[in-house]
Amino acid sequence: MASQYIVALIVAAGKGERAGGALPKQFRNVAGLPMIAHSHAALSAHPAIDEVIVVIGDGQASLLNDALGDVPHAIGGATRRLSVANGLAAIAPRSPSHVLVHDAARPFLPAPVIDRLIDALDTNVAAIPALAVSDTLVRGTSRVEQMVPRDGVWRVQTPQAFQFDILADAHARWPGGDDATDDAQLVRAIGHDVAIVEGDRMLEKITHPADFALADAGAASRLVSRSATGFDVHRLEAGEQLWLGGVLVPHDKGLSGHSDADVALHAITDAVLGTIGAGDIGQHFPPSDPKWKGAASAQFLEHAVGLLRAAGGILDFVDLTLICEAPKVGPHRQAMRERIAALLRLPLAQVSVKATTTERLGFAGRGEGIAAQAIATARVPTGV
Ligand code: CTP
Ligand code: MG
């Protein structure tokens, strides 16, 4: 495709009535993460997608924030169709060339499906993923009244991919009824062809309570446990601020380095990267690049966690040990733990922060620097 700007809209403004439960289903945990987080990570990580916007219900902003932090969002409407229309209106000022519309209720979104859709947009104005029906189909109420030939019958999934102007036009011209269950039918209603690409069984929608257990079991069967370590040292120097574990610690010296030199976050970042064999922090954020001068190390850690999630992984636990003579870590331990847990989007109980001295031996013992080591445990898809 020539010049293109592709926005992904995740519609997550539903009430999840059929799924029941205290929280709308898109914010409930599935496979260890809020449902919305899975497809958000997959779409955000895809190189062809420029922006991801979540469409939430009125009053769901704090639920979204708990699940994903402060991410771009729009407010949806009373039906799925209206939610998509509101999302399209919100992104129109960016003049996207294309848009992918995805249900938050389909958490597991394999990258090859996105590839197929975007490839199809080279030669089509609209493309949807679908699976050929393999069951026998019948029509009837309490008894079989008619056989339905299944040849050429497909089960339609999302994301659905469109030329932006055409989908916006289709929504503007939809006669109402607001009962459209997907976007392809709107585009067809104004006379455009919709291409079918191969969907994926992982994209199954979560609708009923039992679907959660099935999705969890499916995810568990695709995941293996990995542990990886990280280690880092920075020099202590006068005239520097001391950032440790994402917390500014008052001290007469600070750590020196190209970024804010937060040795603790660097060790954890390397550990997280290790769980998916994604190299080390220096590879992702080269110290030679002026872009990272004075950078907050929080963004390195968030990037690493984003990569893990995009690979379909789930972070289970992080344990950090700081090795220094001074400052005393104890008074700041809880603040570090809370900050690290927030950055990792983990409950506090899944983050541990410890410290030790080296009995005044070596560089740490002489107060010349601080070392940190970390271990991260994650579940990652087999083959990652
Ligand atoms: N959706 C939306 N706005 C609505 C209704 C639905 O954005 N007014 C979204 C849902 O959040 C979901 C997707 O559309 O991601 C598919 O809808 P569905 O599975 O029906 O979800 P809910 O409408 O939330 O569930 P239910 O119909 O059981 O209440
Ligand atoms: Mg619904």
Side-chain angles (χ1 to χ4, degrees), residues 2-60:
S3 125
Q4 60 175 34
Y5 191 81
I6 306 185
V7 178
L9 277 186
I10 305 178
V11 285
K15 294 197 169 72
E17 274 164 0
R18 283 168 293 176
L23 278 180
K25 63 183 176 182
Q26 61 271 31
F27 302 112
R28 275 167 58 191
N29 267 30
V30 57
L33 286 179
M35 189 188 295
I36 179 82
H38 292 281
S39 62
H40 192 272
L43 288 162
S44 303
H46 196 282
I49 292 176
D50 296 289
E51 231 179 310
V52 182
I53 313 285
V54 185
V55 183
I56 54 170
D58 207 8
Q60 292 182 338

Side-chain angles (χ1 to χ4, degrees), residues 192-280:
H192 293 286
D193 264 357
V194 175
I196 295 176
V197 304
E198 195 191 341
D200 196 297
R201 292 179 70 134
M202 276 173 67
L203 270 169
E204 230 43 87
K205 186 155 76 73
I206 295 185
T207 306
H208 300 286
D211 297 340
F212 280 87
L214 268 178
D216 280 337
S221 72
R222 295 190 294 271
L223 299 172
V224 289
S225 181
R226 296 255 184 88
S227 295
T229 65
F231 178 77
D232 197 24
V233 174
H234 280 273
R235 185 185 292 276
L236 274 169
E237 280 179 6
E240 297 272 358
Q241 288 188 319
L242 179 56
W243 283 96
L244 262 188
V247 171
L248 188 56
V249 175
H251 192 48
D252 58 350
K253 290 178 183 171
L255 292 170
S256 78
H258 194 65
S259 64
D260 67 12
D262 189 326
V263 71
L265 296 193
H266 293 185
I268 299 172
T269 301
D270 264 358
V272 171
L273 289 173
T275 62
I276 48 169
D280 58 34

Side-chain angles (χ1 to χ4, degrees), residues 121-147:
L121 287 178
D122 271 339
T123 47
N124 298 277
V125 299
I128 59 172
L131 292 176
V133 171
S134 54
D135 295 316
T136 296
L137 295 178
V138 299
R139 194 184 302 281
T141 41
S142 59
R143 60 184 59 243
V144 176
E145 286 159 17
Q146 205 183 2
M147 301 303 297

Side-chain angles (χ1 to χ4, degrees), residues 20-371:
L23 278 180
K25 63 183 176 182
Q26 61 271 31
F27 302 112
R28 275 167 58 191
N29 267 30
V30 57
L33 286 179
M35 189 188 295
I36 179 82
H38 292 281
S39 62
H40 192 272
L43 288 162
S44 303
H46 196 282
I49 292 176
D50 296 289
E51 231 179 310
V52 182
I53 313 285
V54 185
V55 183
I56 54 170
D58 207 8
Q60 292 182 338
S62 69
L63 291 175
L64 178 67
N65 197 68
D66 291 348
L68 279 180
D70 186 17
V71 297
H73 64 271
I75 303 298
T79 64
R80 184 189 184 282
R81 197 202 69 76
L82 289 170
S83 293
V84 176
N86 287 6
L88 294 173
I91 62 173
R94 263 90 108 199
S95 306
S97 59
H98 298 88
V99 60
L100 265 60
V101 183
H102 183 59
D103 290 337
R106 302 178 190 272
F108 307 119
L109 171 47
V113 176
I114 305 175
D115 295 339
R116 290 196 280 273
L117 289 165
I118 289 176
D119 284 350
L121 287 178
D122 271 339
T123 47
N124 298 277
V125 299
I128 59 172
L131 292 176
V133 171
S134 54
D135 295 316
T136 296
L137 295 178
V138 299
R139 194 184 302 281
T141 41
S142 59
R143 60 184 59 243
V144 176
E145 286 159 17
Q146 205 183 2
M147 301 303 297
V148 179
R150 70 174 177 222
D151 284 356
V153 176
W154 300 82
R155 293 197 298 127
V156 172
Q157 303 180 316
T158 74
Q160 299 188 347
F162 305 92
Q163 240 174 53
F164 177 80
D165 294 344
I166 285 178
L167 185 61
D169 191 29
H171 275 267
R173 289 165 58 188
W174 182 245
D178 282 333
D179 48 359
T181 50
D182 79 343
D183 295 282
Q185 57 195 278
L186 275 66
V187 161
R188 278 185 36 78
I190 62 164
H192 293 286
D193 264 357
V194 175
I196 295 176
V197 304
E198 195 191 341
D200 196 297
R201 292 179 70 134
M202 276 173 67
L203 270 169
E204 230 43 87
K205 186 155 76 73
I206 295 185
T207 306
H208 300 286
D211 297 340
F212 280 87
L214 268 178
D216 280 337
S221 72
R222 295 190 294 271
L223 299 172
V224 289
S225 181
R226 296 255 184 88
S227 295
T229 65
F231 178 77
D232 197 24
V233 174
H234 280 273
R235 185 185 292 276
L236 274 169
E237 280 179 6
E240 297 272 358
Q241 288 188 319
L242 179 56
W243 283 96
L244 262 188
V247 171
L248 188 56
V249 175
H251 192 48
D252 58 350
K253 290 178 183 171
L255 292 170
S256 78
H258 194 65
S259 64
D260 67 12
D262 189 326
V263 71
L265 296 193
H266 293 185
I268 299 172
T269 301
D270 264 358
V272 171
L273 289 173
T275 62
I276 48 169
D280 58 34
I281 191 169
Q283 240 171 289
H284 293 269
F285 305 98
S288 54
D289 188 337
K291 195 159 67 184
W292 308 121
K293 187 166 168 50
S297 298
Q299 65 186 290
F300 304 158
L301 185 54
E302 285 176 320
H303 178 76
V305 173
L307 290 177
L308 170 64
R309 286 190 174 176
I314 298 161
L315 189 60
D316 284 320
F317 192 74
V318 163
D319 180 47
L320 168 78
T321 303
L322 284 164
I323 304 160
C324 60
E325 209 63 45
K328 288 257 170 292
V329 171
H332 309 286
R333 200 179 74 89
Q334 192 61 8
M336 289 180 194
R337 200 176 167 212
E338 283 169 11
R339 176 72 179 136
I340 293 165
L343 290 171
L344 298 171
R345 305 202 162 284
L346 281 182
L348 205 57
Q350 286 164 247
V351 175
S352 152
V353 174
K354 318 195 294 305
T356 186
T357 69
T358 54
E359 299 289 333
R360 298 188 180 280
L361 294 169
F363 70 85
R366 292 188 297 271
E368 293 166 10
I370 296 180

